[in-house]
Amino acid sequence: GITDQGQKLTMHKDNEEDPYITLRDPDDSDDDEAVIKSSDFVLLAGITDQEYSSVEVHVYDKSKSSIYVHHDFVLPSFPLSAAYISTDADGKGGDSNFVAVGTFEPGIEIWNLDIVNAMEPTACLGGREA
């Protein structure tokens, strides 16, 4: 077994207590970047390449002096206008981040920026009857 050679197996509650682990768990910056904080600045970029149109959500983190693409979402046609909306949608004091996007299609799409990889807008104002 494990103790046959006169050695003891030492268990530690976590890696911080283990003296043989010299590389500590690095801060997982991906978790920090997953949430748009109220201190972050949001930059929206409408992108069109031939038949493909999208909006890229860039986040500027002032405390780290870094800017990165948070995520993007596909649009049905060429983007014409965008308006950022920050609101307390759930009534619990937390900020919710939305964008209203106008395209060549009838209707204005409302996208929730806090949802990564959203397949469709949260709401659509106006538009065609189905």
Side-chain angles (χ1 to χ4, degrees):
I2 294 176
T3 59
D4 286 347
Q5 299 172 355
Q7 298 175 357
K8 290 175 143 182
L9 178 64
T10 303
M11 301 290 287
H12 297 282
K13 185 176 181 178
D14 57 30
N15 289 345
E16 297 296 322
E17 295 177 2
D18 191 340
Y20 295 104
I21 296 180
T22 57
L23 296 174
R24 302 296 174 201
D25 294 333
D27 294 334
D28 191 6
S29 62
D30 290 343
D31 289 343
D32 263 356
E33 294 174 356
V35 176
I36 299 173
K37 299 179 285 292
S38 59
S39 61
D40 291 338
F41 293 97
V42 177
L43 174 71
L44 303 167
I47 307 292
T48 298
D49 183 24
Q50 295 180 0
E51 298 295 319
Y52 176 79
S53 294
S54 67
V55 170
E56 287 184 349
V57 181
H58 298 258
V59 174
Y60 175 70
D61 185 348
K62 188 175 180 180
S63 65
K64 295 179 183 176
S65 295
S66 67
I67 189 167
Y68 57 92
V69 177
H70 189 267
H71 68 283
D72 66 344
F73 51 88
V74 179
L75 296 174
S77 67
F78 188 82
L80 294 175
S81 62
Y84 175 74
I85 306 164
S86 178
T87 182
D88 180 12
D90 59 5
K92 296 179 183 175
D95 286 335
S96 296
N97 302 285
F98 294 91
V99 62
V101 180
T103 65
F104 274 114
E105 297 290 320
I108 298 171
E109 295 180 341
I110 309 295
W111 290 85
N112 187 340
L113 300 181
D114 298 321
I115 299 175
V116 179
N117 298 329
M119 298 302 290
E120 57 186 28
T122 303
C124 189
L125 309 176
R128 295 187 188 134
E129 294 293 319

